[in-house]
Amino acid sequence: MQALVEDMKKAQVFIKEEEIQAIVNGLGFRIQQDYQNIEEPLIVVGLLKGSFIFMADLVRQINLPMNLEFMTVSSYNLENKQEKELKIIQDINTPIAGRDVILVEDIMDTGRTFSKILDLLSSRNPKSLKTCALLNKKECRVAEVTLDYCGIEIPNKFVYGYGLDNSQLGRNLPYIAFEE
Ligand code: IMP
Ligand code: MG
Protein backbone atom coordinates (compact mmCIF):
# COMPACT_ATOMS: atom_id res chain seq x y z
CA MET A 1 0.00 0.00 0.00
CA GLN A 2 2.80 2.41 0.92
CA ALA A 3 4.50 1.64 -2.40
CA LEU A 4 1.32 2.49 -4.27
CA VAL A 5 0.96 5.75 -2.37
CA GLU A 6 4.57 6.59 -3.32
CA ASP A 7 3.95 5.66 -6.98
CA MET A 8 0.91 7.88 -7.09
CA LYS A 9 3.05 10.86 -6.11
CA LYS A 10 4.70 10.43 -9.53
CA ALA A 11 1.37 10.51 -11.33
CA GLN A 12 1.11 12.70 -14.39
CA VAL A 13 -1.88 14.87 -15.11
CA PHE A 14 -3.59 13.36 -18.14
CA ILE A 15 -6.80 15.42 -18.27
CA LYS A 16 -6.91 18.71 -16.35
CA GLU A 17 -9.85 19.84 -14.24
CA GLU A 18 -10.84 22.55 -16.70
CA GLU A 19 -10.75 20.11 -19.61
CA ILE A 20 -12.93 17.66 -17.71
CA GLN A 21 -15.41 20.42 -16.94
CA ALA A 22 -15.57 21.44 -20.60
CA ILE A 23 -16.22 17.81 -21.62
CA VAL A 24 -18.88 17.34 -18.93
CA ASN A 25 -20.57 20.63 -19.86
CA GLY A 26 -20.71 19.50 -23.49
CA LEU A 27 -22.29 16.18 -22.55
CA GLY A 28 -24.82 17.90 -20.31
CA PHE A 29 -25.76 20.30 -23.09
CA ARG A 30 -26.33 17.44 -25.55
CA ILE A 31 -28.44 15.47 -23.09
CA GLN A 32 -30.54 18.50 -22.27
CA GLN A 33 -31.17 19.14 -25.98
CA ASP A 34 -32.04 15.51 -26.68
CA TYR A 35 -34.52 15.17 -23.82
CA GLN A 36 -36.05 18.64 -23.78
CA ASN A 37 -39.50 17.33 -24.71
CA ILE A 38 -39.47 14.52 -22.19
CA GLU A 39 -42.85 13.74 -20.62
CA GLU A 40 -41.80 12.03 -17.42
CA PRO A 41 -38.60 12.71 -15.47
CA LEU A 42 -35.48 11.24 -17.00
CA ILE A 43 -33.92 8.42 -14.98
CA VAL A 44 -30.14 8.73 -14.72
CA VAL A 45 -28.48 5.59 -13.38
CA GLY A 46 -24.87 5.84 -12.22
CA LEU A 47 -22.62 2.84 -11.68
CA LEU A 48 -20.77 3.06 -8.39
CA LYS A 49 -18.25 3.77 -7.30
CA GLY A 50 -16.46 5.11 -10.37
CA SER A 51 -19.19 7.39 -11.74
CA PHE A 52 -20.00 9.31 -8.58
CA ILE A 53 -18.03 12.50 -9.27
CA PHE A 54 -18.76 12.54 -13.00
CA MET A 55 -22.46 11.96 -12.35
CA ALA A 56 -22.59 14.75 -9.75
CA ASP A 57 -21.06 17.23 -12.18
CA LEU A 58 -23.03 16.00 -15.20
CA VAL A 59 -26.51 16.21 -13.70
CA ARG A 60 -25.88 19.76 -12.52
CA GLN A 61 -25.43 20.72 -16.19
CA ILE A 62 -28.84 19.35 -17.14
CA ASN A 63 -31.86 21.49 -16.40
CA LEU A 64 -34.56 18.83 -16.74
CA PRO A 65 -36.68 16.90 -14.26
CA MET A 66 -34.83 13.71 -13.39
CA ASN A 67 -34.60 10.86 -10.93
CA LEU A 68 -31.12 9.83 -9.83
CA GLU A 69 -30.38 6.21 -9.17
CA PHE A 70 -27.21 4.27 -8.42
CA MET A 71 -26.18 0.68 -8.90
CA THR A 72 -23.17 -1.04 -7.42
CA VAL A 73 -21.71 -3.83 -9.50
CA SER A 74 -18.64 -5.96 -8.96
CA SER A 75 -16.04 -5.73 -11.70
CA TYR A 76 -13.62 -8.24 -13.12
CA ASN A 77 -9.91 -8.38 -12.52
CA LEU A 78 -8.31 -5.65 -14.61
CA GLU A 79 -4.97 -7.44 -14.83
CA ASN A 80 -6.10 -10.31 -16.98
CA LYS A 81 -9.41 -8.82 -18.15
CA GLN A 82 -10.93 -12.27 -17.79
CA GLU A 83 -14.65 -12.38 -17.92
CA LYS A 84 -16.23 -13.05 -14.58
CA GLU A 85 -19.82 -13.16 -13.64
CA LEU A 86 -20.96 -9.61 -13.04
CA LYS A 87 -22.60 -9.29 -9.66
CA ILE A 88 -25.19 -6.71 -8.81
CA ILE A 89 -24.35 -5.68 -5.28
CA GLN A 90 -26.97 -2.94 -5.07
CA ASP A 91 -29.76 -2.58 -7.61
CA ILE A 92 -31.79 0.55 -8.35
CA ASN A 93 -35.07 0.70 -6.51
CA THR A 94 -37.20 2.56 -9.04
CA PRO A 95 -39.28 0.83 -11.72
CA ILE A 96 -38.04 1.94 -15.15
CA ALA A 97 -40.78 0.45 -17.38
CA GLY A 98 -41.94 3.05 -19.90
CA ARG A 99 -39.32 5.58 -18.77
CA ASP A 100 -36.34 7.22 -20.48
CA VAL A 101 -33.13 5.97 -18.90
CA ILE A 102 -29.46 6.94 -19.26
CA LEU A 103 -26.80 4.65 -17.84
CA VAL A 104 -23.70 6.53 -16.68
CA GLU A 105 -20.23 5.03 -16.25
CA ASP A 106 -16.82 6.54 -15.56
CA ILE A 107 -15.08 4.65 -18.36
CA MET A 108 -15.96 2.17 -21.06
CA ASP A 109 -13.14 -0.32 -21.50
CA THR A 110 -14.05 -3.80 -22.78
CA GLY A 111 -17.71 -2.80 -22.67
CA ARG A 112 -18.66 -5.91 -20.70
CA THR A 113 -20.03 -4.01 -17.71
CA PHE A 114 -22.20 -1.80 -19.89
CA SER A 115 -23.35 -4.72 -21.98
CA LYS A 116 -24.50 -6.76 -19.02
CA ILE A 117 -26.20 -3.91 -17.21
CA LEU A 118 -27.90 -2.86 -20.45
CA ASP A 119 -29.29 -6.38 -20.86
CA LEU A 120 -30.60 -6.29 -17.32
CA LEU A 121 -32.16 -2.84 -17.63
CA SER A 122 -33.69 -3.54 -21.07
CA SER A 123 -35.42 -6.59 -19.67
CA ARG A 124 -37.38 -4.13 -17.50
CA ASN A 125 -38.84 -2.48 -20.62
CA PRO A 126 -37.78 1.16 -20.39
CA LYS A 127 -39.12 3.50 -23.09
CA SER A 128 -35.54 4.28 -24.10
CA LEU A 129 -32.12 3.34 -22.78
CA LYS A 130 -28.95 5.24 -23.61
CA THR A 131 -25.35 5.07 -22.46
CA CYS A 132 -22.97 7.76 -21.28
CA ALA A 133 -19.32 7.48 -20.26
CA LEU A 134 -16.75 10.17 -19.56
CA LEU A 135 -13.85 8.14 -20.93
CA ASN A 136 -13.79 5.64 -23.76
CA LYS A 137 -10.96 3.15 -24.38
CA LYS A 138 -12.30 2.25 -27.79
CA GLU A 139 -9.43 -0.04 -28.76
CA CYS A 140 -10.16 -2.30 -25.77
CA ARG A 141 -13.73 -3.08 -26.77
CA VAL A 142 -14.75 -6.73 -26.58
CA ALA A 143 -18.52 -6.45 -26.17
CA GLU A 144 -20.52 -4.61 -28.80
CA VAL A 145 -22.06 -1.62 -27.08
CA THR A 146 -23.22 1.72 -28.45
CA LEU A 147 -21.90 4.66 -26.48
CA ASP A 148 -24.49 7.39 -27.06
CA TYR A 149 -22.76 10.08 -25.01
CA CYS A 150 -18.98 9.76 -25.04
CA GLY A 151 -16.87 12.34 -23.20
CA ILE A 152 -13.45 11.66 -24.67
CA GLU A 153 -11.64 8.79 -26.33
CA ILE A 154 -8.38 7.83 -24.65
CA PRO A 155 -5.63 5.34 -25.54
CA ASN A 156 -5.23 2.04 -23.73
CA LYS A 157 -3.55 3.29 -20.58
CA PHE A 158 -4.58 2.90 -16.99
CA VAL A 159 -6.00 6.13 -15.64
CA TYR A 160 -7.44 7.22 -12.31
CA GLY A 161 -8.78 10.23 -10.45
CA TYR A 162 -12.12 12.09 -10.75
CA GLY A 163 -13.92 9.04 -9.34
CA LEU A 164 -11.78 6.34 -10.97
CA ASP A 165 -9.54 4.38 -8.66
CA ASN A 166 -6.08 2.93 -8.61
CA SER A 167 -6.58 -0.01 -6.21
CA GLN A 168 -9.23 2.03 -4.40
CA LEU A 169 -6.97 5.08 -4.11
CA GLY A 170 -7.01 8.33 -6.04
CA ARG A 171 -10.75 8.67 -6.59
CA ASN A 172 -10.64 12.08 -4.92
CA LEU A 173 -8.16 13.63 -7.36
CA PRO A 174 -9.86 16.53 -9.16
CA TYR A 175 -8.07 15.62 -12.44
CA ILE A 176 -7.44 12.39 -14.34
CA ALA A 177 -3.97 10.95 -13.88
CA PHE A 178 -1.85 8.20 -15.33
CA GLU A 179 1.48 6.65 -14.47
CA GLU A 180 4.38 6.62 -16.91
P1 IMP B 1 -15.42 -2.74 -18.88
O1 IMP B 1 -16.50 -3.65 -18.37
O2 IMP B 1 -14.21 -3.50 -19.33
O3 IMP B 1 -15.90 -1.77 -19.91
O4 IMP B 1 -14.84 -1.99 -17.64
C1 IMP B 1 -15.40 -0.97 -17.05
C2 IMP B 1 -14.88 -0.81 -15.63
O5 IMP B 1 -13.50 -1.16 -15.47
C3 IMP B 1 -14.94 0.66 -15.32
O6 IMP B 1 -16.17 1.00 -14.78
C4 IMP B 1 -13.83 0.83 -14.33
O7 IMP B 1 -14.31 0.53 -13.04
C5 IMP B 1 -12.83 -0.21 -14.70
N1 IMP B 1 -11.72 0.39 -15.49
C6 IMP B 1 -11.44 0.18 -16.78
N2 IMP B 1 -10.36 0.88 -17.17
C7 IMP B 1 -9.96 1.56 -16.08
C8 IMP B 1 -8.88 2.50 -15.85
O8 IMP B 1 -8.06 2.85 -16.70
N3 IMP B 1 -8.79 3.01 -14.59
C9 IMP B 1 -9.67 2.68 -13.59
N4 IMP B 1 -10.68 1.82 -13.77
C10 IMP B 1 -10.82 1.26 -15.00
MG1 MG C 1 -16.55 1.31 -12.76
Side-chain angles (χ1 to χ4, degrees):
M1 181 56 72
Q2 195 51 41
L4 181 60
V5 171
E6 287 306 314
D7 281 353
M8 286 174 59
K9 289 185 186 156
K10 292 178 232 144
Q12 309 279 318
V13 177
F14 182 49
I15 311 177
K16 290 190 286 196
E17 266 184 274
E18 307 85 80
E19 288 177 69
I20 297 173
Q21 277 318 310
I23 294 166
V24 174
N25 294 356
L27 287 172
F29 181 81
R30 281 181 56 203
I31 293 172
Q32 175 153 338
Q33 296 287 306
D34 291 354
Y35 292 88
Q36 57 185 327
N37 298 320
I38 199 164
E39 283 161 15
E40 278 193 82
L42 180 63
I43 299 182
V44 185
V45 180
L47 296 188
L48 293 176
K49 301 173 194 167
S51 73
F52 85 109
I53 294 180
F54 171 43
M55 174 105 159
D57 283 345
L58 179 68
V59 296
R60 284 181 289 173
Q61 297 301 322
I62 306 170
N63 185 15
L64 290 174
M66 62 173 73
N67 299 145
L68 299 182
E69 294 290 334
F70 291 95
M71 265 176 120
T72 307
V73 299
S74 67
S75 55
Y76 57 86
N77 186 342
L78 272 175
E79 262 147 48
N80 53 22
K81 298 203 174 181
Q82 293 280 301
E83 193 163 6
K84 281 189 188 166
E85 210 185 328
L86 186 102
K87 284 208 184 77
I88 310 291
I89 295 164
Q90 165 98 47
D91 202 344
I92 54 173
N93 46 32
T94 290
I96 61 166
R99 302 283 296 274
D100 294 292
V101 179
I102 302 181
L103 183 60
V104 176
E105 253 282 51
D106 48 3
I107 185 166
M108 194 188 279
D109 185 15
T110 65
R112 285 188 181 121
T113 308
F114 257 121
S115 161
K116 287 182 178 165
I117 306 291
L118 285 172
D119 285 349
L120 176 74
L121 295 181
S122 345
S123 72
R124 298 175 184 171
N125 301 313
K127 181 174 168 196
S128 71
L129 181 55
K130 286 195 182 177
T131 51
C132 174
L134 176 66
L135 307 171
N136 183 16
K137 286 187 191 170
K138 211 172 173 184
E139 60 189 272
C140 301
R141 200 76 84 251
V142 173
E144 244 183 69
V145 192
T146 305
L147 188 51
D148 299 292
Y149 301 102
C150 167
I152 183 170
E153 277 174 26
I154 62 166
N156 182 16
K157 42 170 118 200
F158 187 81
V159 294
Y160 60 94
Y162 195 71
L164 293 100
D165 74 302
N166 185 354
S167 297
Q168 296 305 328
L169 288 171
R171 291 193 197 272
N172 55 318
L173 291 175
Y175 54 88
I176 293 174
F178 75 101
E179 277 160 38
E180 286 288 11

